Amino acid sequence: MSDPTTALIHALAEHMTAKEEWDCFAMVLGLDGVKVNSVFGFAYSADGAVESVAASPYRIKDAVKGYTDSYFKAGDPLPLKLLVQFDRTNGKYEVTFEDKDASRWELTPETFHDIPEQLRPHFG
């Protein structure tokens, strides 16, 4: 797999903790300036069910490094977070960088009910 985005999506799909069958996912990857240090998100099924999921940063580190290396030169600052959204029913995906707001996409008691729907992939 030579495309870094495809490799990243494949690694997330392979290593996320989803117990139920899913049609799409949204994963937030936290970066510490050098590497990925947190991964959480949601898997969505066709019937509307939402499941909280996570992945081991260690298991996806090579795919994340390959992806970030394809966008950033050595020594360039990495984003604080990446939001990876993928819909396997149509193959569409989007990766969004967050460079400034470390609290963006944060799951807190105040955002617990809203974040899953905010992150759900909606591709036109």
Side-chain angles (χ1 to χ4, degrees):
M1 210 180 288
S2 60
D3 174 40
T5 307
T6 303
L8 176 61
I9 291 168
H10 180 76
L12 288 168
E14 181 179 351
H15 296 294
M16 74 176 168
T17 59
K19 293 181 177 122
E20 303 299 324
E21 191 62 31
W22 55 272
D23 289 328
C24 56
F25 69 72
M27 300 289 286
V28 177
L29 287 62
L31 305 172
D32 67 4
V34 178
K35 63 186 181 325
V36 62
N37 65 1
S38 66
V39 185
F40 82 92
F42 305 94
Y44 308 89
S45 64
D47 66 4
V50 179
E51 178 182 2
S52 294
V53 295
S56 164
Y58 178 78
R59 291 185 175 257
I60 65 165
K61 68 180 169 82
D62 292 339
V64 174
K65 181 164 178 20
Y67 181 81
T68 57
D69 285 355
S70 74
Y71 279 90
F72 302 96
K73 297 177 189 155
D76 285 350
L78 295 178
L80 300 172
K81 294 181 178 181
L82 301 175
L83 170 62
V84 181
Q85 297 170 298
F86 173 63
D87 185 332
R88 81 169 151 192
T89 63
N90 60 25
K92 293 184 179 183
Y93 61 87
E94 187 171 296
V95 179
T96 306
F97 297 173
E98 177 51 57
D99 297 318
K100 296 177 180 142
D101 183 1
S103 67
R104 186 173 183 193
W105 308 313
E106 194 169 293
L107 195 58
T108 67
E110 292 80 25
T111 64
F112 181 78
H113 295 290
D114 299 328
I115 288 288
E117 201 51 45
Q118 287 176 10
L119 298 184
R120 182 189 293 268
H122 295 285
F123 303 116

